[in-house]
Amino acid sequence: MAIDQRHFRNVMGTFATGVAIISTKVDGNVHGITANSFSSVSLDPPLVLFCLGRSSTNFSAFMTTDNFAVNILAAGQDALSTRFAIFEGDRFEGVGWQSWETGAPIVDGVISAADCILEARHDAGDHVIIVGRVLRAEKFFDASPLLYFKGGYANLK
């Protein structure tokens, strides 16, 4: 029995997630997307994953790179999240960032970040699961996270 895509999305939307900007640097150019499909996978070795839609305008960048960074957003950073989700220009214009070991952008002002090298890619329907080995991870400050729930941003109460 086929499941209606809109219905499936609505059901899955009842699972609250954090929001992150996943970034990379390829041939000197920086790229970034908003993702709520991020998870830690393993402590030993330290692995994380995110899921990338095949329709993403940054799909080819993430399919050719061997690095990425995970930038976990704080409550109140919904404009930054939206910018990296839908803006079609230079998403990094006016956004401060630094780089660590891999060169992938670590965005200023995020709660925490992880710098990763590619461990594996797995086909998964209309997405690709990208697994990275964490080379460095830092927590910058304590704050409530930016959450995504039922198709919109939410806050802890």
Side-chain angles (χ1 to χ4, degrees), residues 68-115:
F68 65 90
V70 178
N71 299 274
I72 299 173
L73 300 182
Q77 290 185 308
D78 47 311
L80 188 61
S81 171
T82 300
R83 177 186 182 94
F84 278 81
I86 64 172
F87 185 67
E88 291 300 323
D90 178 359
R91 293 175 177 172
F92 282 94
E93 184 177 349
V95 175
W97 60 276
Q98 58 182 293
S99 60
W100 295 342
E101 284 84 347
T102 70
I106 307 296
V107 177
D108 292 347
V110 297
I111 295 175
S112 57
D115 195 22

Coordinates of all heavy atoms in Angstrom, one line a residue, residues 68-115:
F68 N 32.9 18.2 5.7 CA 31.7 19.0 6.0 C 31.8 19.4 7.5 O 32.4 18.8 8.3 CB 30.4 18.4 5.7 CG 30.0 17.1 6.4 CD1 29.3 17.2 7.6 CD2 30.4 15.9 6.0 CE1 29.0 16.0 8.3 CE2 30.1 14.7 6.6 CZ 29.3 14.8 7.8
A69 N 31.0 20.4 7.8 CA 30.9 20.9 9.2 C 29.4 20.9 9.6 O 28.6 21.2 8.7 CB 31.5 22.2 9.5
V70 N 29.1 20.6 10.8 CA 27.8 20.7 11.4 C 27.8 21.8 12.3 O 28.6 21.9 13.3 CB 27.4 19.4 12.1 CG1 26.0 19.5 12.7 CG2 27.5 18.2 11.2
N71 N 26.9 22.8 12.1 CA 26.7 24.0 12.9 C 25.4 24.0 13.5 O 24.3 24.1 12.8 CB 26.9 25.2 12.0 CG 28.2 25.3 11.3 OD1 29.2 25.8 11.9 ND2 28.3 24.8 10.1
I72 N 25.3 23.7 14.8 CA 24.0 23.5 15.5 C 23.5 24.9 16.0 O 24.2 25.7 16.7 CB 24.1 22.6 16.7 CG1 24.6 21.2 16.2 CG2 22.8 22.5 17.5 CD1 24.9 20.2 17.2
L73 N 22.2 25.2 15.5 CA 21.7 26.5 15.7 C 21.0 26.7 17.1 O 20.4 25.7 17.6 CB 20.7 26.9 14.6 CG 21.3 26.9 13.2 CD1 20.2 27.3 12.2 CD2 22.5 27.8 13.1
A74 N 21.0 27.9 17.6 CA 20.3 28.3 18.8 C 18.9 28.9 18.5 O 18.7 29.4 17.4 CB 21.2 29.4 19.5
A75 N 18.1 28.8 19.5 CA 16.8 29.5 19.4 C 17.0 30.9 19.0 O 18.0 31.6 19.5 CB 16.0 29.4 20.8
G76 N 16.2 31.5 18.2 CA 16.4 32.8 17.7 C 17.2 32.9 16.4 O 17.3 34.0 15.8
Q77 N 17.8 31.8 16.0 CA 18.5 31.8 14.7 C 17.7 31.3 13.5 O 18.2 30.8 12.6 CB 19.8 31.0 14.9 CG 20.8 31.7 15.8 CD 22.2 31.0 15.8 OE1 22.2 29.8 16.1 NE2 23.2 31.7 15.6
D78 N 16.4 31.5 13.6 CA 15.5 31.0 12.6 C 15.8 31.7 11.2 O 15.6 31.1 10.2 CB 14.0 31.1 13.0 CG 13.6 32.4 13.6 OD1 14.3 32.8 14.5 OD2 12.6 32.9 13.2
A79 N 16.1 33.0 11.3 CA 16.4 33.7 10.0 C 17.6 33.2 9.3 O 17.6 33.0 8.1 CB 16.6 35.2 10.3
L80 N 18.6 32.8 10.1 CA 19.8 32.1 9.5 C 19.5 30.8 8.9 O 19.9 30.4 7.8 CB 20.9 32.0 10.6 CG 22.3 31.5 10.2 CD1 22.9 32.5 9.2 CD2 23.2 31.3 11.4
S81 N 18.6 30.0 9.7 CA 18.2 28.7 9.2 C 17.4 28.9 7.9 O 17.7 28.2 6.9 CB 17.3 28.1 10.2 OG 16.7 26.9 9.7
T82 N 16.5 29.8 7.8 CA 15.7 30.1 6.6 C 16.6 30.5 5.4 O 16.4 30.1 4.3 CB 14.6 31.1 6.9 OG1 13.8 30.6 7.9 CG2 13.8 31.4 5.6
R83 N 17.6 31.4 5.7 CA 18.5 31.8 4.7 C 19.2 30.6 4.0 O 19.3 30.5 2.8 CB 19.6 32.8 5.3 CG 20.6 33.2 4.3 CD 21.7 34.0 5.0 NE 22.6 34.5 4.0 CZ 22.6 35.7 3.4 NH1 21.6 36.5 3.6 NH2 23.6 36.0 2.5
F84 N 19.7 29.7 4.8 CA 20.4 28.5 4.2 C 19.5 27.5 3.7 O 19.9 26.6 2.9 CB 21.4 27.9 5.3 CG 22.7 28.7 5.4 CD1 22.8 29.8 6.1 CD2 23.8 28.2 4.7 CE1 24.0 30.5 6.2 CE2 25.0 28.9 4.8 CZ 25.1 30.1 5.5
A85 N 18.2 27.6 4.0 CA 17.2 26.7 3.4 C 16.7 27.1 2.1 O 16.5 26.3 1.2 CB 16.0 26.5 4.4
I86 N 16.5 28.4 1.9 CA 15.8 28.8 0.6 C 16.6 29.9 -0.2 O 16.3 30.1 -1.3 CB 14.4 29.3 0.9 CG1 14.4 30.6 1.8 CG2 13.6 28.2 1.6 CD1 13.0 31.2 2.0
F87 N 17.5 30.6 0.4 CA 18.2 31.7 -0.3 C 19.0 31.2 -1.5 O 19.7 30.2 -1.3 CB 19.0 32.5 0.7 CG 19.7 33.7 0.0 CD1 18.9 34.8 -0.4 CD2 21.0 33.8 -0.1 CE1 19.5 35.9 -0.9 CE2 21.6 34.9 -0.7 CZ 20.9 36.0 -1.1
E88 N 18.9 31.7 -2.6 CA 19.5 31.2 -3.8 C 20.8 31.9 -4.2 O 21.6 31.5 -5.0 CB 18.6 31.2 -5.0 CG 17.4 30.2 -4.9 CD 17.9 28.8 -4.8 OE1 18.9 28.4 -5.4 OE2 17.3 28.0 -4.0
G89 N 21.1 33.0 -3.5 CA 22.4 33.7 -3.7 C 23.5 33.1 -2.9 O 23.5 32.0 -2.5
D90 N 24.5 34.0 -2.6 CA 25.6 33.6 -1.7 C 25.1 33.5 -0.3 O 25.0 34.5 0.4 CB 26.8 34.5 -1.9 CG 28.0 34.2 -1.0 OD1 27.9 33.2 -0.2 OD2 29.0 34.9 -1.0
R91 N 24.9 32.3 0.2 CA 24.3 32.2 1.5 C 25.2 32.7 2.6 O 24.8 33.0 3.7 CB 23.9 30.7 1.8 CG 22.8 30.3 0.9 CD 22.5 28.8 1.0 NE 21.3 28.5 0.2 CZ 20.9 27.3 -0.1 NH1 21.5 26.2 0.5 NH2 19.9 27.1 -0.8
F92 N 26.5 32.7 2.3 CA 27.5 33.1 3.3 C 27.8 34.6 3.3 O 28.5 35.1 4.2 CB 28.8 32.3 3.2 CG 28.8 30.9 3.7 CD1 28.4 29.9 2.9 CD2 29.0 30.7 5.0 CE1 28.3 28.6 3.4 CE2 28.9 29.4 5.6 CZ 28.6 28.4 4.7
E93 N 27.2 35.3 2.3 CA 27.5 36.8 2.3 C 27.0 37.4 3.6 O 25.8 37.3 4.0 CB 26.8 37.4 1.1 CG 27.1 38.9 0.9 CD 26.5 39.5 -0.3 OE1 26.0 38.8 -1.2 OE2 26.5 40.7 -0.4
G94 N 27.9 38.1 4.3 CA 27.5 38.8 5.5 C 27.4 37.9 6.7 O 27.1 38.3 7.8
V95 N 27.7 36.6 6.6 CA 27.7 35.6 7.7 C 29.2 35.3 8.0 O 30.0 34.9 7.2 CB 27.0 34.3 7.2 CG1 27.1 33.2 8.3 CG2 25.6 34.5 6.9
G96 N 29.5 35.6 9.3 CA 30.9 35.3 9.8 C 31.1 33.8 10.0 O 30.2 33.1 10.4
W97 N 32.3 33.4 9.7 CA 32.7 32.0 9.9 C 34.2 31.9 9.9 O 34.9 32.8 9.6 CB 32.1 31.1 8.8 CG 32.6 31.4 7.4 CD1 32.0 32.4 6.5 CD2 33.6 30.8 6.6 NE1 32.7 32.4 5.3 CE2 33.7 31.4 5.4 CE3 34.5 29.8 6.9 CZ2 34.6 31.1 4.4 CZ3 35.5 29.4 6.0 CH2 35.5 30.1 4.7
Q98 N 34.6 30.8 10.5 CA 36.0 30.4 10.5 C 36.1 29.0 10.0 O 35.1 28.3 9.7 CB 36.5 30.5 12.0 CG 35.7 29.6 12.9 CD 36.2 29.8 14.4 OE1 37.3 29.4 14.7 NE2 35.3 30.3 15.2
S99 N 37.4 28.5 9.9 CA 37.5 27.1 9.5 C 38.5 26.4 10.5 O 39.4 27.1 11.1 CB 38.0 27.0 8.1 OG 39.2 27.6 7.9
W100 N 38.4 25.1 10.6 CA 39.2 24.3 11.4 C 40.1 23.4 10.5 O 40.5 23.8 9.4 CB 38.5 23.5 12.4 CG 37.7 24.4 13.5 CD1 38.0 25.7 13.8 CD2 36.7 24.0 14.3 NE1 37.1 26.1 14.8 CE2 36.3 25.1 15.1 CE3 35.9 22.8 14.4 CZ2 35.3 25.0 16.0 CZ3 34.9 22.7 15.4 CH2 34.6 23.8 16.2
E101 N 40.2 22.2 10.9 CA 41.1 21.2 10.2 C 40.7 21.0 8.7 O 41.5 21.0 7.8 CB 41.1 19.9 10.9 CG 41.9 19.8 12.1 CD 41.2 20.3 13.4 OE1 40.1 20.9 13.3 OE2 41.7 20.1 14.5
T102 N 39.4 20.8 8.4 CA 39.0 20.5 7.0 C 38.8 21.7 6.1 O 38.8 21.5 4.9 CB 37.7 19.7 7.0 OG1 36.6 20.6 7.4 CG2 37.8 18.5 7.9
G103 N 38.6 22.9 6.7 CA 38.4 24.1 5.9 C 36.9 24.3 5.7 O 36.5 25.4 5.2
A104 N 36.0 23.4 6.2 CA 34.6 23.6 6.1 C 34.2 24.8 7.0 O 34.7 24.9 8.1 CB 33.8 22.4 6.5
P105 N 33.2 25.6 6.6 CA 32.9 26.8 7.4 C 32.2 26.4 8.8 O 31.3 25.6 8.8 CB 31.9 27.5 6.6 CG 32.2 27.1 5.2 CD 32.6 25.7 5.3
I106 N 32.8 27.0 9.8 CA 32.2 26.9 11.2 C 31.5 28.3 11.4 O 32.2 29.3 11.4 CB 33.2 26.7 12.3 CG1 34.1 25.4 11.9 CG2 32.6 26.6 13.6 CD1 33.3 24.1 11.9
V107 N 30.2 28.3 11.4 CA 29.5 29.6 11.4 C 29.5 30.3 12.8 O 29.4 29.6 13.8 CB 28.0 29.3 11.0 CG1 27.2 30.6 11.1 CG2 27.9 28.7 9.6
D108 N 29.8 31.6 12.8 CA 29.9 32.3 14.1 C 28.5 32.3 14.7 O 27.4 32.4 14.1 CB 30.3 33.8 13.8 CG 31.7 33.9 13.3 OD1 32.5 32.9 13.4 OD2 32.0 35.0 12.8
G109 N 28.5 32.2 16.1 CA 27.3 32.4 16.9 C 26.4 31.1 17.1 O 25.4 31.2 17.7
V110 N 26.9 30.0 16.5 CA 26.1 28.8 16.7 C 26.4 28.2 18.1 O 27.4 28.6 18.8 CB 26.4 27.7 15.6 CG1 26.0 28.3 14.3 CG2 27.9 27.3 15.6
I111 N 25.5 27.3 18.6 CA 25.7 26.7 19.9 C 27.0 25.8 19.9 O 27.8 25.9 20.9 CB 24.5 25.8 20.3 CG1 23.3 26.7 20.5 CG2 24.8 25.1 21.6 CD1 22.0 25.8 20.8
S112 N 27.1 25.0 18.9 CA 28.2 24.1 18.8 C 28.5 23.7 17.4 O 27.6 24.0 16.5 CB 27.9 22.8 19.7 OG 26.7 22.2 19.2
A113 N 29.6 23.1 17.2 CA 29.9 22.7 15.8 C 30.8 21.5 15.8 O 31.5 21.2 16.8 CB 30.7 23.8 15.1
A114 N 30.8 20.8 14.7 CA 31.7 19.6 14.5 C 32.3 19.7 13.1 O 31.6 20.0 12.1 CB 30.9 18.3 14.7
D115 N 33.6 19.4 13.0 CA 34.3 19.4 11.8 C 34.5 18.0 11.4 O 35.1 17.2 12.2 CB 35.6 20.2 12.0 CG 36.3 20.6 10.7 OD1 35.6 20.7 9.6 OD2 37.5 20.8 10.7

